[in-house]
Amino acid sequence: MKYLLIICLVFFIVTCTDDKIKPVVDNSEIKGSIPSHESWNSKITFTSEGKIKAVLYSEYLKKYDEERISLLEKIKIDFYNADQVRKSELTANQGKVDDATQDMYAMDNVIASNDSGTVLRTEELKWRNSDQKIVTDKFVKIISPNEIIEGYGFESDQHLNHYVIFNVTYSSSPKKEN
């Protein structure tokens, strides 16, 4: 009985040490980087000198600190003028924000529209934070109350008030009713 008590005491002391058993982690299935942050239903506000320039909404956001990028899904951006009035919006299925420059890339079913009725459709574009311009070298289609234009390559202010299509492939004016 004395030996059984000693064996139980030794077993108890050995099992109660501070050393924790670390589980074996198999990293062989992980491909690429792991995001440092994830969030759902995110809102990012872009400001300059205390004034709101744009507000970005995203259903899902993955932020990678080492790469300094954020990947977005199901995005909507509201653009504001100097008086902080919402003047245009952009929607897309996917997006990416360069966290160093705050430039934003929109991809997959990109639609930009302004409060004057002008609508831009494309598959990819970039919003440059430095000059608040929208640019792409992809196919674009612009529908406004005065014209329909299609082509490749595009640059505009973020409110779609002054735009240029570099290689026009189609242009027409809507029929006016008498």
Side-chain angles (χ1 to χ4, degrees):
M1 183 72 173
K2 184 177 173 184
Y3 292 113
L4 181 62
L5 184 61
I6 291 173
I7 291 173
C8 287
L9 184 61
V10 169
F11 178 76
F12 179 76
I13 291 172
V14 169
T15 58
C16 291
T17 61
D18 286 336
D19 293 335
K20 306 260 188 225
I21 297 173
K22 294 183 180 181
V24 176
V25 178
D26 182 10
N27 290 331
S28 63
E29 293 296 320
I30 298 172
K31 296 182 173 116
S33 300
I34 297 174
S36 54
H37 306 284
E38 289 180 286
S39 65
W40 288 261
N41 299 318
S42 303
K43 177 181 172 184
I44 300 171
T45 303
F46 297 88
T47 62
S48 176
E49 299 176 0
K51 292 189 174 185
I52 297 173
K53 298 293 182 186
V55 178
L56 182 149
Y57 302 90
S58 175
E59 286 188 15
Y60 179 59
L61 180 146
K62 295 186 284 187
K63 185 174 178 71
Y64 297 88
D65 284 342
E66 281 188 32
E67 293 86 357
R68 301 187 70 186
I69 62 167
S70 298
L71 300 179
L72 314 160
E73 293 180 13
K74 302 288 182 189
I75 61 172
K76 176 185 173 222
I77 304 173
D78 291 328
F79 296 105
Y80 292 82
N81 67 8
D83 298 326
Q84 299 197 32
V85 176
R86 183 188 165 279
K87 298 300 280 182
S88 57
E89 77 170 31
L90 182 148
T91 61
N93 290 335
Q94 297 180 354
K96 178 175 86 173
V97 175
D98 182 325
D99 294 334
T101 62
Q102 296 295 305
D103 290 343
M104 203 279 303
Y105 302 84
M107 289 89 57
D108 189 13
N109 196 25
V110 180
I111 301 172
S113 61
N114 67 14
D115 58 354
S116 300
T118 301
V119 177
L120 163 72
R121 291 181 180 272
T122 186
E123 283 302 309
E124 183 179 313
L125 64 76
K126 174 183 179 181
W127 175 72
R128 290 189 307 230
N129 182 43
S130 61
D131 58 3
Q132 272 106 54
K133 288 195 173 188
I134 298 171
V135 297
T136 186
D137 60 353
K138 305 295 182 194
F139 177 80
V140 296
K141 181 175 185 176
I142 298 270
I143 300 172
S144 74
N146 302 323
E147 60 189 1
I148 299 171
I149 304 175
E150 295 177 356
Y152 292 88
F154 175 82
E155 182 173 310
S156 173
D157 64 300
Q158 65 186 13
H159 302 300
L160 297 175
N161 291 326
H162 307 285
Y163 54 83
V164 175
I165 297 177
F166 296 110
N167 185 10
V168 176
T169 58
Y170 175 81
S171 177
S172 74
S173 298
K175 294 178 183 176
K176 296 190 180 198
E177 296 180 17
N178 294 329

